[in-house]
Amino acid sequence: MNISPALAEVLGAYGLKGEPESCSKLDGGHIHETYRVDFNENGKPVSYLVQCVNTYVFKDIEGLMQNVVNVTEYLADIIKQNGGNPEREALKVHYTKDGKSYYTAGDGRCWRCYGYITGTHAIQAITDAESFKNAGRAFGRFQCLLADYPIASLNETIPNFHNTVSRFADFKKALADNKSGRAGNAVKETSFVLSREKDCSVLVDLLDKGELPLRVTHNDTKLNNILFDDETDEGICIVDLDTVMPGLSLYDFGDSIRFGANTASEDEKDVSKVSLSLEYFEAYTRGYLSTAGKSLTAKEIEYLPFSAKLMALECGMRFLGDYFNGDVYFHTDCPEHNLVRCRTQFALVADIEMKMKKMQDIVNACRREFSL
Ligand code: GN1
Ligand code: MG
């Protein structure tokens, strides 16, 4: 098996000796560089997930890995107490030969290593409502598992990550700086954002007024951050814990809908294919409320539909801001990639705005169904 010298150096640092049987790059994330590496350890197949951490995005790797270690250990304990299987339901951090949770390579890049949970799969797009309901159950359960996690002990790995007021300010700065010189290519998209400034402060204001509770949240609840059991299709393990931070439950709900209930992918060039699937919205809402509903306040439930719109708007703003900044944050495959991506998000926002009443009806029906 031919692996790059860089990866070989990392495997060596983790004491993973000998030739791996196979190694593949895993696509799907926009931030890190991820590999699955399979070994045969004394006749037993053992797989690892080896990841080069994007330290442009996560500037404090120590703080990041401290969170990841603490959260994964906490989850494993609770899952064990609840009679679950921590080996399959929680990520496990592996340590270098020097006992560190990450390895800084000779070229300065930082790597980490998790156990690869076999017998599971990730999904990049929803094709049936039942899977999305399972996704909702999984993220709802995850939120409940972390309900008593000591919130103050978490490092803020990306400050103001979902603070849409500061995201809006970042967007305006990117527009004004226009480092890439491409702002003129996105006049319509820019005014789409600027005309929605008021939306950006809605949840932040409710939080400031104490009308929404601060919780430990995942903050990156994309569908492909769930591992589904190959046999049962249940979402059994939540991954990508880099942004577990204090936040709003609505950020997690809204981001899941933004990604999974979109009838097109984030990269779709034909925006006429973009819409909010009410069927998928209903499925996720039902799944999520079935596991997390009892722990939510009435205000949190009330704002579920709005959160989907806000998270799509935020994500679009971030893609467009990165386009203005010269594609420094998100991995891109072509020069227009971030522009294409922001258009799908804005088309979704526009569609959600038209479907808001129907989404509210769905939430109210679920609320009655679960007596919330
Ligand atoms: C990034 O790493 P990934 O692909 O799961 C981003 C999210 C965005 C998402 C858009 C740390 O998530 O915030 O919503 O891309 N993660 C970070 O697809 O910025
Ligand atoms: Mg991810």
Side-chain angles (χ1 to χ4, degrees):
M1 173 81 234
N2 247 347
I3 55 166
S4 70
L7 199 52
E9 178 193 338
V10 176
L11 298 181
Y14 278 90
L16 300 170
K17 294 197 202 76
E19 283 276 295
E21 297 216 310
S22 54
C23 170
S24 52
K25 190 161 186 238
L26 304 181
D27 294 320
H30 295 342
I31 307 293
H32 305 306
E33 191 183 311
T34 310
Y35 299 86
R36 172 186 174 160
V37 192
D38 306 305
F39 282 90
N40 189 315
E41 293 178 355
N42 307 319
K44 204 174 135 232
V46 184
S47 303
Y48 299 91
L49 190 118
V50 181
Q51 203 164 43
C52 180
V53 178
N54 183 328
T55 47
Y56 174 82
V57 168
F58 292 98
K59 303 206 182 312
D60 170 19
I61 178 107
E62 277 293 333
L64 167 71
M65 289 313 293
Q66 208 175 60
N67 279 4
V68 170
V69 164
N70 291 341
V71 170
T72 50
E73 286 178 358
Y74 180 91
L75 286 170
D77 275 351
I78 299 234
I79 289 163
K80 216 182 305 166
Q81 279 166 34
N82 294 349
N85 178 356
E87 310 245 310
R88 285 178 61 70
E89 295 166 40
L91 279 176
K92 185 175 165 32
V93 175
H94 284 278
Y95 291 86
T96 64
K97 287 191 288 190
D98 305 340
K100 287 203 72 179
S101 60
Y102 67 95
Y103 171 68
T104 308
D107 62 5
R109 298 205 296 162
C110 294
W111 295 76
R112 65 185 166 192
C113 176
Y114 294 113
Y116 188 94
I117 305 176
T118 50
T120 63
H121 59 277
I123 309 179
Q124 301 302 333
I126 285 295
T127 48
D128 68 297
E130 194 57 29
S131 311
F132 205 35
K133 184 172 167 194
N134 287 342
R137 286 161 51 86
F139 275 122
R141 222 181 290 120
F142 182 82
Q143 189 186 301
C144 294
L145 286 174
L146 289 178
D148 294 324
Y149 190 88
I151 198 163
S153 70
L154 282 168
N155 301 304
E156 213 179 347
T157 51
I158 302 181
N160 291 319
F161 191 59
H162 283 307
N163 181 329
T164 35
V165 172
S166 86
R167 287 290 185 191
F168 187 83
D170 292 347
F171 172 78
K172 286 220 302 201
K173 181 168 184 332
L175 173 66
D177 292 350
N178 192 13
K179 287 191 188 137
S180 66
R182 300 188 288 188
N185 299 349
V187 174
K188 242 175 48 198
E189 292 76 7
T190 299
S191 63
F192 188 92
V193 174
L194 296 179
S195 65
R196 283 165 180 78
E197 177 171 9
K198 275 207 189 104
D199 288 329
C200 295
S201 56
V202 172
L203 297 187
V204 173
D205 284 353
L206 288 171
L207 174 66
D208 287 348
K209 285 191 276 179
E211 292 185 33
L212 285 173
L214 197 63
R215 300 181 184 276
V216 175
T217 47
H218 183 277
N219 296 304
D220 186 7
T221 49
K222 268 164 84 167
L223 180 65
N224 56 16
N225 284 333
I226 307 172
L227 300 181
F228 292 88
D229 187 290
D230 284 348
E231 278 169 20
T232 64
D233 267 340
E234 196 62 40
I236 57 166
C237 182
I238 301 295
V239 300
D240 200 349
L241 304 174
D242 300 337
T243 50
V244 171
M245 282 184 286
L248 297 180
S249 62
L250 289 164
Y251 298 150
D252 281 1
F253 179 87
D255 199 42
S256 282
I257 299 298
R258 169 195 81 72
F259 188 84
N262 187 346
T263 51
S265 82
E266 256 177 14
D267 299 343
E268 177 57 60
K269 291 198 177 104
D270 178 0
V271 288
S272 73
K273 292 189 181 154
V274 173
S275 70
L276 187 280
S277 159
L278 287 169
E279 185 198 0
Y280 292 171
F281 176 76
E282 177 167 359
Y284 189 93
T285 304
R286 183 160 282 129
Y288 177 70
L289 290 180
S290 76
T291 50
K294 296 272 184 246
S295 64
L296 299 176
T297 66
K299 245 321 173 252
E300 287 179 295
I301 296 176
E302 181 187 334
Y303 278 85
L304 292 175
F306 175 78
S307 73
K309 170 183 158 173
L310 186 66
M311 287 297 100
L313 179 64
E314 179 199 89
C315 193
M317 259 183 335
R318 292 176 61 199
F319 287 145
L320 186 53
D322 197 34
Y323 178 72
F324 295 157
N325 284 335
D327 307 325
V328 288
Y329 188 97
F330 295 105
H331 289 169
T332 49
D333 297 336
C334 62
E336 305 296 290
H337 207 155
N338 273 318
L339 184 60
V340 167
R341 284 174 177 151
C342 90
R343 289 181 176 143
T344 63
Q345 298 309 298
F346 298 151
L348 187 65
V349 169
D351 195 53
I352 293 176
E353 285 173 347
M354 290 194 313
K355 290 179 176 155
M356 195 54 89
K357 169 80 176 66
K358 287 193 175 130
M359 292 164 78
Q360 276 155 357
D361 290 345
I362 289 171
V363 169
N364 287 334
C366 289
R367 190 196 295 229
R368 283 192 294 275
E369 185 181 322
F370 295 115
S371 313
L372 301 172

